[in-house]
Amino acid sequence: MEAHYSSAPELCVSEWVNTEQPITLQSLRGKVVVVEVFQMLCPGCVSHGLPQAAQVADTFPREHVVVLGLHSVFEHHAVQGTREALRAFLHEYRFRFPVAIDAPSGRGLPQTMTAYHMQGTPTMLLIDRKGRLRAQLFGQMPDMSLGAQIAQLVHEDGNTSEHSGLTRACEETSNDCNQGSCTLK
Amino acid sequence: MEAHYSSAPELCVSEWVNTEQPITLQSLRGKVVVVEVFQMLCPGCVSHGLPQAAQVADTFPREHVVVLGLHSVFEHHAVQGTREALRAFLHEYRFRFPVAIDAPSGRGLPQTMTAYHMQGTPTMLLIDRKGRLRAQLFGQMPDMSLGAQIAQLVHEDGNTSEHSGLTRACEETSNDCNQGSCTLK
Amino acid sequence: MEAHYSSAPELCVSEWVNTEQPITLQSLRGKVVVVEVFQMLCPGCVSHGLPQAAQVADTFPREHVVVLGLHSVFEHHAVQGTREALRAFLHEYRFRFPVAIDAPSGRGLPQTMTAYHMQGTPTMLLIDRKGRLRAQLFGQMPDMSLGAQIAQLVHEDGNTSEHSGLTRACEETSNDCNQGSCTLK
Amino acid sequence: MEAHYSSAPELCVSEWVNTEQPITLQSLRGKVVVVEVFQMLCPGCVSHGLPQAAQVADTFPREHVVVLGLHSVFEHHAVQGTREALRAFLHEYRFRFPVAIDAPSGRGLPQTMTAYHMQGTPTMLLIDRKGRLRAQLFGQMPDMSLGAQIAQLVHEDGNTSEHSGLTRACEETSNDCNQGSCTLK
């Protein structure tokens, strides 16, 4: 008998940086997905969370593990909320993995952050090959332990034949959710 | 006989953060002044230069050594040039020393950066008690060596009776230079 | 089809510290075994290799992963070769996992070091649940990558029913090899 | 008016390593002397105190600041007390400054350690150009603060004309104290 894990809610995204095509969790079934949730003005994200995510991308082969960033702004919206500021930040720090901007909700917390009941940033989401949320880690975690957790997800049975209904958490006001990802115009 | 050192050009400042009153180098004669020149999107500034400046402020008594920041934006002006962005950054990183925004020149490099012929950020300026520029350090420097250099300036003869003509490097377009600091409106 | 891995040669041990009973690799079949090969006067072992081995012991549950130290002295024999010196070292540094003293050969390199054709210290051996040598890592390795490698060994099929003939590498002069471990008197 | 500082007791030394000639504090009058007191099996000494002392030697010119080590063994005498073990240790870690072995007293604590009422290792002694003990630092201290303290001693008035009677703390059983340093045969 196996533990029961919930399907990871789809990301609610207003814009993407470092990728030409929008990306959905749905489209990544069959791979392990690591999502680093951050704010560019969050010191722990800049010094620890994002470099660790970059190291995950360097350590595991891309056909097994995909690393995404999620810029979930819940404070100082005016100065870190823009795509231009985020692009400059990612460029200067040389973070090259795709980064989504968490769709604002008009109520402070952005939509994906709300859907996952996150406590703050940095938060790391580990999603298995069946699209299930296996770990949600707030704060810092040792590299060795993280490497071990991701490797476990890589090496376990990843048969994706079973149906795991897609969770829809993005707001109706999102006007382009028909591909699983909610893109605000 | 003593080595000849040039008077440190006055800072050209458009705005101040973390201080109620504008500050001039002229007003700090008699104290050693350490100026950390940075950009908020410069990784080496965030991880090394600014924390080191904060440590200087914690290590040396304020009656002898004053630490100032100088935000000298020469790239990504749109996203890191605003006072609001800088305030949010300093707040999140808990840098509490006064920080000046280097006055833009309309030609890419801001005015103070030009006046000091700086090579980039982070740069640290060490100014002695007579207002002379004693060291201009681009890049990283060991804490021990920096501590020794500052202590030397603290303990050497600081008789300020000699006249050291104030260097005026700020542009004429600065419309409030009459207190030594050039404040753009 | 599976890659072919060699059976890990048994450790040749003159004495044990931090354990009441001698330990053999043979007796650990079914578990992943991590062996940190070190010298107490090797700086890279003290600052990196041994703390990393201790972190492995803290990260993985003992029923799956066993961490051993192997003190393989190949220089300065007189001052780091004794059990008393090793005990004092392990006590002061609080390394609590079992540590074997690699049996001297009378020809400079100790016996286990020779059997594994090691290049020096620190070296880490990763032995799978079937007793096969899966990795032999000389020098430093990132925690994340090591955590991933060990986790892979933990989660792969560990059926030990197949016979993997025990490799006997210890010298005949060892006068107590009948339990797999060669204990010099 | 000046604070009163005591003359630093002379070192009681049984043997020297990394120097051809025995060294006395008396002979170093006119220079600032930094003494790193350590044990080779003390983790904080190996990871912090000794590398910091080596950095002092690299940072300050030798004509102003002299760095000495003092191996003050107060536990595990049998395994770290020998000159041969100490030499191997210093060689492997590449510590090249002169190191004295603190003369044993036959009562646990070695003689210099007793004379200075030290609390343990690592301890750093800062001795000014007049031979006075200006700081005795047990444990860790930030590089910046240490650099500043040493620079202060370098730059203050070092006129040594005043007599500061040599403190004799070494035991009478020391059979060669006539040059200020007590060398046990």
Side-chain angles (χ1 to χ4, degrees), chain C residues 12-34:
Chain C
C12 303
V13 177
S14 59
E15 290 189 89
W16 282 92
V17 181
N18 282 353
T19 175
E20 308 215 338
Q21 297 292 330
I23 298 168
T24 63
L25 295 182
Q26 177 69 37
S27 71
L28 297 172
R29 290 294 157 89
K31 300 186 178 184
V32 175
V33 182
V34 176

Side-chain angles (χ1 to χ4, degrees), chain B:
Chain B
M1 209 188 70
E2 187 180 6
H4 179 76
Y5 298 107
S6 304
S7 179
E10 189 55 77
L11 306 180
C12 303
V13 177
S14 59
E15 291 187 89
W16 282 93
V17 181
N18 282 353
T19 175
E20 307 214 340
Q21 296 292 330
I23 298 168
T24 64
L25 296 182
Q26 177 67 39
S27 71
L28 298 173
R29 289 294 158 90
K31 300 186 179 184
V32 175
V33 183
V34 176
V35 183
E36 172 66 22
V37 186
F38 72 102
Q39 297 179 99
M40 56 181 276
L41 289 184
C42 152
C45 302
V46 172
S47 67
H48 181 81
L50 288 162
Q52 191 178 51
Q55 198 186 348
V56 171
D58 287 346
T59 300
F60 293 91
R62 208 155 301 190
E63 66 265 30
H64 293 310
V65 178
V66 172
V67 174
L68 302 176
L70 180 68
H71 196 226
S72 291
V73 175
F74 62 90
E75 51 188 355
H76 308 300
H77 292 81
V79 298
Q80 59 178 350
T82 70
R83 184 171 188 268
E84 190 186 14
L86 180 61
R87 279 176 70 95
F89 169 80
L90 295 173
H91 174 77
E92 290 303 318
Y93 278 87
R94 292 178 172 72
F95 294 125
R96 307 193 197 287
F97 43 80
V99 174
I101 298 179
D102 196 353
S105 67
R107 289 183 315 275
L109 290 189
Q111 295 184 36
T112 315
M113 184 162 249
T114 299
Y116 280 81
H117 306 289
M118 291 183 203
Q119 298 169 265
T121 57
T123 287
M124 190 174 266
L125 310 174
L126 301 187
I127 298 169
D128 69 15
R129 297 201 267 151
K130 293 178 177 171
R132 300 174 304 181
L133 182 63
R134 296 292 290 273
Q136 179 166 326
L137 310 150
F138 176 51
Q140 297 198 5
M141 165 183 26
D143 285 348
M144 188 182 288
S145 176
L146 178 61
Q149 288 187 59
I150 295 172
Q152 175 180 347
L153 299 185
V154 168
H155 293 287
E156 73 186 3
D157 176 30
N159 184 338
T160 62
S161 63
E162 74 170 58
H163 177 70
S164 56
L166 179 65
T167 304
R168 294 251 176 194
C170 306
E171 295 186 1
E172 294 302 323
T173 56
S174 302
N175 55 7
D176 183 13
C177 280
N178 49 15
Q179 293 173 2
S181 167
C182 309
T183 308
L184 284 175
K185 291 286 165 59

Side-chain angles (χ1 to χ4, degrees), chain C residues 40-43 46 75-76 78-79 82 84-85 88-89 91-93, chain D residues 40-43 46 75-76 78-79 82 84-85 88-89 91-93:
Chain C
M40 56 180 274
L41 288 184
C42 152
V46 173
E75 50 187 357
H76 307 300
V79 297
T82 70
E84 189 186 13
F89 169 79
H91 174 77
E92 290 303 318
Y93 279 88
Chain D
M40 55 180 274
L41 289 184
C42 151
V46 173
E75 51 188 356
H76 308 298
V79 297
T82 69
E84 190 186 12
F89 170 79
H91 174 78
E92 291 303 318
Y93 278 88

Side-chain angles (χ1 to χ4, degrees), chain A residues 55-121:
Chain A
Q55 198 185 349
V56 171
D58 286 346
T59 300
F60 293 91
R62 208 156 298 189
E63 66 264 30
H64 292 311
V65 178
V66 172
V67 173
L68 303 177
L70 181 67
H71 196 226
S72 291
V73 176
F74 62 90
E75 52 187 355
H76 308 299
H77 292 80
V79 297
Q80 60 177 348
T82 70
R83 185 171 188 267
E84 190 187 12
L86 180 60
R87 279 176 70 94
F89 169 80
L90 296 173
H91 174 77
E92 290 303 319
Y93 279 88
R94 294 179 171 69
F95 295 125
R96 307 193 196 289
F97 43 80
V99 174
I101 298 178
D102 196 352
S105 69
R107 291 182 313 275
L109 289 189
Q111 295 185 36
T112 314
M113 184 161 249
T114 300
Y116 280 81
H117 306 288
M118 291 183 204
Q119 298 168 266
T121 56

